[in-house]
Amino acid sequence: MCSSDLEYITFLDSDDFYLRDKLAIQVNELDRRDDIAVTFCEAWVYRTGRPKRIGVKKGENEDWSLRHFFSGYNRNLNTMCLRRRIWEAGFVFGEADRGRYGEEWRLQLTLAMAGVPMQFHSEPLVVVELRPDSHTSWSRQWIMKTHAVAELEKTAVQLTPLQRQQINCGVIIDAMRVKLVVALLLDGRKNQAKEAIGTIQAPYRARRAGMVWQVLSRFPPPWARALLRYFWLAAQNRTFRWQKVPPRLHSELQEIEAGARELEIQMASRTVR
């Protein structure tokens, strides 16, 4: 990105893809509106192995405030298009673990804290695959939640007393600590989960987390993890509106797949030569 000199920056993971008009719509929007610095769009989502069932995340088309981002909300990075001057102003990803875990959420939280004007386009223009080996995998959830708790604690200090009151920082941070406890139990880290319970400030939340720890401690670890994962996935699934692939999208996906196969053949041919 440092070597490029164009006006807009977008992102795309290697296993996700843009639909036909994604770039044109977002660039036109930024060209038309000088008061907007970053634009996002809706995304189609599907799980690995279930390509005929596709969904969009609930609540994505709402206007999000600083409280939303502080609560852990974030737009999928593939849907973002921002002006280069925003990146050059220092709104970038972190280094090391800060650049690997929660980096897109942290970037959007920083943008919201600085009051950078952001806009959302409600039409799905990106297709994203939810993979079992992605950052949503169980062995990484506790790492993500650990970093999230630290980031929220750091951010809360930077807010004004009025902002902390409006956002209700303590409640949100405690909720993230509870999620950390669950994530640690998901990965079989019972001792670390017990330590994390001790960091929860609200007594009733600490008691609930303690009850979960006690109940799951009575089950063999594989059973406990299977039970937690079932409820975790069920909760995640409820955040999406699932449906069959619309005919128009199906047609465009076929065109994209055909183009990808043609590109693979061309690349293989060049390699042989």
Side-chain angles (χ1 to χ4, degrees):
M1 283 188 284
C2 293
S3 61
S4 67
D5 58 0
L6 299 179
E7 187 176 354
Y8 302 118
I9 296 175
T10 63
F11 307 89
L12 182 63
D13 290 340
S14 59
D15 55 348
D16 304 323
F17 49 87
Y18 296 159
L19 295 179
R20 188 180 295 114
D21 298 326
K22 194 264 189 187
L23 292 175
I25 289 174
Q26 291 190 306
V27 168
N28 288 339
E29 190 68 17
L30 290 173
D31 282 343
R32 187 176 63 86
R33 294 189 58 182
D34 292 335
D35 61 318
I36 296 297
V38 183
T39 179
F40 298 90
C41 65
E42 186 73 88
W44 290 113
V45 175
Y46 72 96
R47 291 194 180 279
T48 302
R50 303 191 68 178
K52 295 183 179 180
R53 187 171 181 250
I54 202 160
V56 293
K57 199 152 192 176
K58 298 175 182 176
E60 283 281 303
N61 59 350
E62 300 173 2
D63 289 329
W64 289 359
S65 64
L66 176 57
R67 189 182 193 283
H68 286 89
F69 291 105
F70 193 86
S71 299
Y73 287 49
N74 72 282
R75 312 282 190 189
N76 187 282
L77 189 63
N78 297 296
T79 72
M80 175 188 278
C81 181
L82 70 157
R83 299 185 190 276
R84 184 176 188 82
R85 60 178 169 80
I86 297 298
W87 190 263
E88 292 175 341
F91 295 98
V92 297
F93 299 126
E95 299 296 331
D97 279 352
R98 284 175 59 85
R100 284 194 291 270
Y101 299 106
E103 70 281 5
E104 55 197 77
W105 164 67
R106 188 178 298 108
L107 171 61
Q108 294 172 44
L109 175 59
T110 305
L111 291 169
M113 284 186 62
V116 174
M118 295 180 276
Q119 181 257 2
F120 180 77
H121 185 80
S122 60
E123 180 183 358
L125 301 173
V126 175
V127 178
V128 175
E129 179 182 6
L130 291 181
R131 306 187 318 272
D133 62 340
S134 71
H135 280 192
T136 56
S137 65
W138 314 120
S139 61
R140 298 182 182 182
Q141 279 289 345
W142 71 270
I143 302 176
M144 294 176 66
K145 297 300 183 288
T146 299
H147 283 283
V149 169
E151 193 67 29
L152 290 177
E153 292 172 341
K154 174 185 173 183
T155 302
V157 175
Q158 301 172 22
L159 299 174
T160 66
L162 179 59
Q163 285 178 315
R164 286 197 290 271
Q165 182 180 3
Q166 291 174 335
I167 292 175
N168 210 348
C169 290
V171 171
I172 294 173
I173 295 174
D174 253 4
M176 188 61 71
R177 290 177 180 136
V178 172
K179 291 180 180 179
L180 171 60
V181 171
V182 175
L184 287 165
L185 289 170
L186 277 169
D187 202 44
R189 300 173 181 269
K190 290 170 54 178
N191 292 335
Q192 289 173 261
K194 193 170 185 178
E195 291 177 6
I197 292 172
T199 67
I200 300 172
Q201 301 298 305
Y204 80 95
R205 286 184 183 273
R207 286 195 298 270
R208 288 173 61 184
M211 289 173 61
V212 171
W213 188 92
Q214 290 178 357
V215 169
L216 292 176
S217 296
R218 299 176 181 177
F219 289 92
W223 291 14
R225 288 198 294 271
L227 184 64
L228 272 177
R229 290 173 184 180
Y230 172 81
F231 286 110
W232 187 295
L233 275 176
Q236 186 186 59
N237 274 329
R238 286 196 296 271
T239 65
F240 293 96
R241 293 193 302 271
W242 297 101
Q243 64 179 80
K244 293 182 179 179
V245 179
R248 180 179 175 183
L249 176 61
H250 184 265
S251 176
E252 189 165 347
L253 293 181
Q254 286 183 319
E255 292 178 20
I256 291 173
E257 289 174 356
R261 284 194 296 270
E262 179 63 27
L263 181 60
E264 288 177 359
I265 292 172
Q266 292 177 9
M267 295 296 292
S269 176
R270 291 176 185 175
T271 301
V272 170
R273 291 177 186 173

